[in-house]
Amino acid sequence: MRPLNLSTFFTSSPMSLLQQFDPCSLSSIEEDLLIKKILQTHDPDPDPDGRELDSSQLLLVIESTMHFISPKFSYPRSDCINSWNFEVFGLEGKLGYTVNKISHRILCKCYEDGDLHEETMMLFETLGPFKWDAKVVLTLAALVTKYGEFWLIMQLVHHNSLAALTAALKQMPRELNMLNIQFKALNLLFDTMIEAANLVLEFEGLPLQQQLLDDEAIVVTKSKMYITIYWILRSSISCAPLIADFRTMKHNQVHSNSTTIAAWTVFSLVYKLSGLCNDLREKLHMCHMQIDRKFPEKIRDLFKLSHCHNQEVLHVLFSSTNDLPLKDSSREKYFGIQELENKVVILLISKPELIAVEKIFYLVHQMHDHPLHKKFGASYAVIWVPIPSSHTWNLSDEMNFNFLSNSLPWFSIRDPWLLHSAVINFIRKEWSYKEEPIMVVLSTDGVVTNLNAIDMVWLWGAKAFPFSASREKELWEQENRILQLLIDGIDPLLTNLVDEGKHICFYGSDKISWIRDFNNTLQKIKNSMGIQLEAIYVGYRNPHNKDVGNILGICIEENSSIFLSTAKMKLFWLRLESIKNSVARLDQAAHYNSIIQPLLDACETSTDWMIIGKGSSTDIIILKGRQVQECLNLVPEWAENVAKLGLFGAIRCAMESPLPVKPCYHNEILQSEEGLTEEFVFCSRCKRPVEKFVVYQCNVTESAQED
């Protein structure tokens, strides 16, 4: 191989070197002509090679690669190091081919005295189908790949036989100390090119730049960006021969003057790019100021308008920093918002730690493992949008997010720490997010149909599709169950007991002595009267885990009754809280207040309570505090009437005033068959026995009316 010489890098004379790299050396006319030529090569394919390139992720890998070459670069994130398991770069597996193609284009002219400008424009032609940010990162990836291969062999050469043999075959230099200035120059150039690439990605990712920036800001900033991209590509072609010569350099070439001259040439490129970075950074700052001023109003106006689909709304909210802003770990892919077109979108907004583990599993069950998910699952998508309590993300927040987002079977925001402050402020103010999880529902056309569907999701799961406020009203109008509402999805055993039509008694207390007495009495009732009554202990409101654990331990030891685990107890109280919130929010559920409100009062205001129900009936008995003990004390009185009145009627007659001392005076007309065959009839409103009267209806014929 021939020694390096300056003509490899530039066709201009060395005397004009500093002038050539002066950021202000190009006149405005020359700059305009250069930009025009660059734009003529730009022919973007909306989906090159089958998939858009994820430029930010690829640039992150480039930075991480450089860290292992030069410690100056920031330490790579672990998810980046392992990202080869993830289809994160796009191009549908063709990234390697594309990078190799560009690498060949850069290196093929290494040893020819060509015109650098013409070679740079030819590289622009090769990169024509790609976006501006993709042009930059693909070029850097091609260059870093070759540089990384060289350093990988050199770092292993003294410890790995394969590396040593490969280095010998390539005739790589044994001593690198004399090349420190060349390595320093190259590493500094890579650092500057990566800095410039980040600025290009930042501008390309500006939210709604066409709508929020004035024409002057767009034109000026884009012009600076085009020139910066030109010099990134030109610098890559310029330093490629130096990298190529490292890989095959003989010992006597290490000390040649040409390598030193080449190093100073690279330093000159650094000077050029640094000046362009400063100019572009200044223009970006002005763009950010304009966007920050206009973005909040844009978001508010967006939700006041009607849309044909949800794409514009989702783009404004989430696509401001990346073309692939969604993460789906279940499929190990990143996605763009087009994946959500024609779907109902549910935004699960919470803190990065989301909620307690048992609630997470239950939420997954209700939305993903629900029996109706197969029917409706393709029509809706859940996106987790984590927002930390503070205005900044700390290490704990990031760790929680990374762990959960890699575990949940739905979408999450890929880089939630990059959400624009205007979006976060809008969520907090307009959607009333107050640290507690909420689920905001967007219809297929991007309209907010429910500001918080989380209660209906807890209660009905996928059955609540499309999760709108109107659907919640419909569900309450159709609802005719009580026990199922309390236990649905918590425990299959409880569901079976309810479906079998058995009498179920839910009870709660924080006193083990009360629980013993209660179960002993119930056992006597079942033994003496042969009633199928299953007692289930569900704890009490806001318990301490230690106290509940002690009670459950005693229940297990004494085998007193069925009991829920601590986790399932929490879900029972969660459903109860959701019933309370949903009923309070909807007037259409007012007819449930006569049943639900006493139930809630009993569970929330008393530590000793019981609820007795049967199957899918809406008829339940709710007792709390002293009422429970009174009921148990009156067992001999109401036990005699169980055969005639049934369990509910017997208890009510014993607890209140039996027939006929104080009958019900509500009026209700029943069909003759139903009213006469039943010995006792109970009021549908107060549940007390009613006094029966026979009412006759006379049907007059048309002929009789004429007479």
Side-chain angles (χ1 to χ4, degrees):
M1 173 178 289
R2 62 172 176 75
L4 289 172
N5 58 73
L6 195 59
S7 61
T8 303
F9 296 93
F10 297 99
T11 57
S12 56
S13 64
M15 293 299 295
S16 62
L17 189 61
L18 291 178
Q19 180 182 1
Q20 184 175 0
F21 285 103
D22 185 349
C24 302
S25 61
L26 285 178
S27 68
S28 60
I29 297 178
E30 292 172 326
E31 192 173 271
D32 291 342
L33 289 174
L34 177 58
I35 291 172
K36 184 177 180 180
K37 290 182 179 180
I38 292 172
L39 292 175
Q40 288 174 351
T41 67
H42 187 56
D43 184 22
D45 185 338
D47 196 12
D49 292 327
R51 172 61 67 87
E52 289 187 351
L53 178 72
D54 190 347
S55 300
S56 61
Q57 185 70 13
L58 183 53
L59 184 58
L60 178 61
V61 173
I62 291 170
E63 290 185 77
S64 301
T65 303
M66 285 303 302
H67 165 80
F68 293 103
I69 297 174
S70 172
K72 178 180 178 181
F73 289 84
S74 60
Y75 193 78
R77 289 187 351 214
S78 59
D79 61 332
C80 171
I81 297 174
N82 298 323
S83 61
W84 61 273
N85 292 323
F86 228 82
E87 291 185 29
V88 295
F89 303 125
L91 299 186
E92 290 293 347
K94 296 182 180 180
L95 175 66
Y97 166 78
T98 305
V99 170
N100 209 32
K101 177 181 176 182
I102 297 169
S103 177
H104 176 74
R105 167 62 64 188
I106 293 175
L107 294 172
C108 69
K109 301 293 184 179
C110 277
Y111 306 110
E112 298 179 10
D113 295 336
D115 187 313
L116 265 177
H117 172 72
E118 293 300 326
E119 292 178 17
T120 304
M121 297 311 297
M122 290 176 65
L123 182 55
F124 268 112
E125 293 283 354
T126 303
L127 296 167
F130 294 96
K131 295 181 179 179
W132 297 107
D133 53 351
K135 296 179 197 293
V136 172
V137 295
L138 284 172
T139 301
L140 291 179
L143 202 61
V144 169
T145 299
K146 299 303 179 183
Y147 197 38
E149 288 173 356
F150 166 76
W151 275 107
L152 179 61
I153 295 174
M154 296 310 300
Q155 289 176 1
L156 296 175
V157 71
H158 299 297
H159 312 287
N160 185 284
S161 299
L162 178 60
L165 292 171
T166 303
L169 290 173
K170 287 180 173 290
Q171 294 185 312
M172 289 184 171
R174 298 178 183 178
E175 298 295 334
L176 299 180
N177 292 335
M178 299 301 296
L179 291 172
N180 282 341
I181 188 171
Q182 287 85 349
F183 292 139
K184 182 178 180 180
L186 268 179
N187 292 342
L188 187 58
L189 179 60
F190 274 113
D191 185 24
T192 309
M193 287 193 295
I194 289 173
E195 179 186 1
N198 274 303
L199 294 174
V200 172
L201 266 66
E202 183 180 346
F203 177 74
E204 287 291 275
L206 285 178
L208 307 174
Q209 55 173 268
Q210 298 295 333
Q211 301 177 42
L212 300 180
L213 295 177
D214 56 45
D215 294 340
E216 181 181 357
I218 293 176
V219 171
V220 172
T221 309
K222 281 189 173 182
S223 297
K224 293 296 181 183
M225 182 186 73
Y226 299 144
I227 297 299
T228 302
I229 294 174
Y230 172 85
W231 279 102
I232 292 174
L233 269 57
R234 179 162 176 157
S235 299
S236 299
I237 295 173
S238 299
C239 68
L242 190 58
I243 296 175
D245 279 347
F246 282 154
R247 299 165 64 193
T248 57
M249 185 178 293
K250 296 180 180 179
H251 181 69
N252 64 338
Q253 292 177 320
V254 172
H255 305 281
S256 69
N257 292 330
S258 61
T259 58
T260 304
I261 296 173
W264 283 108
T265 303
V266 173
F267 280 125
S268 300
L269 286 166
V270 172
Y271 173 70
K272 173 70 179 182
L273 274 173
S274 296
L276 291 171
C277 285
N278 291 334
D279 288 348
L280 184 55
R281 189 180 296 106
E282 180 182 346
K283 298 298 182 289
L284 276 170
H285 177 68
M286 296 173 61
C287 291
H288 278 295
M289 291 179 62
Q290 284 192 29
I291 289 174
D292 291 344
R293 186 172 65 252
K294 298 179 181 180
F295 201 7
E297 184 179 356
K298 173 65 179 179
I299 298 177
R300 288 193 298 270
D301 292 342
L302 184 71
F303 285 95
K304 296 177 182 177
L305 304 174
S306 59
H307 307 276
C308 298
H309 47 69
N310 60 12
Q311 295 296 284
E312 182 180 1
V313 171
L314 295 173
H315 176 74
V316 170
L317 291 176
F318 305 126
S319 291
S320 60
T321 57
N322 201 292
D323 290 330
L324 302 172
L326 304 178
K327 174 182 180 180
D328 184 355
S329 295
S330 63
R331 288 186 280 177
E332 295 191 338
K333 288 184 178 181
Y334 291 152
F335 290 97
I337 59 171
Q338 63 272 11
E339 184 78 8
L340 305 175
E341 191 171 4
N342 299 321
K343 289 188 178 184
V344 172
V345 177
I346 306 168
L347 305 178
L348 172 58
I349 304 168
S350 75
K351 292 187 288 188
E353 59 266 29
L354 194 53
I355 48 181
V357 174
E358 63 273 3
K359 293 182 180 180
I360 293 176
F361 284 124
Y362 189 56
L363 188 62
V364 171
H365 168 78
Q366 292 294 81
M367 294 298 289
H368 190 74
D369 299 330
H370 193 278
L372 290 177
H373 181 263
K374 291 183 179 179
K375 180 178 180 181
F376 299 119
S379 301
Y380 69 84
V382 179
I383 304 178
W384 182 30
V385 186
I387 298 177
S389 301
S390 62
H391 294 289
T392 58
W393 282 73
N394 55 42
L395 181 60
S396 176
D397 291 334
E398 288 197 35
M399 291 177 64
N400 285 326
F401 167 74
N402 287 329
F403 174 76
L404 287 173
S405 62
N406 289 331
S407 307
L408 297 173
W410 47 59
F411 291 113
S412 59
I413 299 300
R414 174 178 163 184
D415 297 314
W417 41 82
L418 298 181
L419 284 178
H420 197 280
S421 59
V423 174
I424 296 175
N425 292 336
F426 177 84
I427 291 174
R428 291 185 183 277
K429 183 177 179 181
E430 302 297 330
W431 291 348
S432 302
Y433 171 63
K434 307 293 184 184
E435 307 297 332
E436 290 299 319
I438 64 173
M439 300 182 85
V440 178
V441 181
L442 303 178
S443 65
T444 54
D445 55 358
V447 175
V448 176
T449 58
N450 199 334
L451 282 174
N452 192 4
I454 197 165
D455 290 317
M456 65 189 302
V457 168
W458 290 132
L459 295 176
W460 292 288
K463 183 181 178 181
F465 178 83
F467 310 101
S468 60
S470 60
R471 176 57 177 161
E472 189 172 15
K473 296 176 183 178
E474 291 176 6
L475 288 169
W476 274 115
E477 291 170 354
Q478 300 167 5
E479 189 59 69
N480 56 5
R481 314 165 306 162
I482 293 297
L483 296 186
Q484 285 91 336
L485 268 179
L486 294 176
I487 55 90
D488 193 18
I490 294 178
D491 191 308
L493 174 62
L494 297 185
T495 303
N496 291 336
L497 291 176
V498 173
D499 292 341
E500 290 171 3
K502 293 183 178 180
H503 287 94
I504 308 294
C505 175
F506 293 110
Y507 71 97
S509 176
D510 60 351
K511 307 180 188 70
I512 190 61
S513 58
W514 187 94
I515 294 173
R516 284 196 179 105
D517 293 341
F518 180 83
N519 280 289
N520 290 335
T521 305
L522 284 185
Q523 192 61 44
K524 292 178 182 177
I525 294 173
K526 290 194 289 184
N527 293 339
S528 61
M529 291 182 286
I531 299 175
Q532 288 187 324
L533 178 63
E534 296 291 347
I536 302 166
Y537 179 67
V538 295
Y540 52 96
R541 187 174 182 82
N542 298 326
H544 296 289
N545 289 336
K546 182 178 179 180
D547 296 338
V548 174
N550 293 336
I551 293 175
L552 289 180
I554 295 173
C555 290
I556 294 173
E557 182 179 348
E558 299 179 357
N559 194 24
S560 55
S561 67
I562 300 173
F563 52 87
L564 298 181
S565 65
T566 304
K568 292 178 179 178
M569 285 182 187
K570 293 178 180 179
L571 297 181
F572 174 87
W573 289 94
L574 172 67
R575 290 187 66 86
L576 203 61
E577 184 69 22
S578 295
I579 292 172
K580 174 183 176 181
N581 295 338
S582 186
V583 169
R585 187 164 52 245
L586 299 173
D587 294 336
Q588 280 72 10
H591 64 285
Y592 262 78
N593 279 335
S594 59
I595 300 174
I596 296 296
Q597 201 55 52
L599 184 152
L600 296 172
D601 291 342
C603 297
E604 294 181 354
T605 62
S606 175
T607 56
D608 307 329
W609 55 272
M610 61 180 267
I611 303 168
I612 301 178
K614 181 180 180 181
S616 59
S617 173
T618 59
D619 190 11
I620 62 172
I621 291 178
I622 304 167
L623 302 175
K624 64 178 180 177
R626 294 181 179 178
Q627 292 177 330
V628 179
Q629 193 60 46
E630 290 175 7
C631 177
L632 298 179
N633 292 337
L634 292 172
V635 168
E637 298 182 22
W638 58 262
E640 299 177 358
N641 295 323
V642 170
K644 295 186 299 181
L645 304 180
L647 181 61
F648 289 176
I651 292 177
R652 286 194 177 100
C653 283
M655 294 293 293
E656 299 176 6
S657 297
L659 181 74
V661 176
K662 191 177 180 181
C664 167
Y665 289 104
H666 294 130
N667 295 321
E668 190 168 357
I669 298 177
L670 304 176
Q671 295 297 322
S672 59
E673 293 81 1
E674 181 182 351
L676 294 176
T677 55
E678 297 290 338
E679 183 176 357
F680 288 91
V681 178
F682 296 89
C683 175
S684 61
R685 285 179 281 181
C686 69
K687 308 301 181 184
R688 294 168 57 193
V690 297
E691 188 175 1
K692 295 188 296 183
F693 297 92
V694 178
V695 177
Y696 296 94
Q697 181 178 1
C698 180
N699 293 325
V700 181
T701 63
E702 293 182 3
S703 60
Q705 289 179 351
E706 292 176 358
D707 295 340

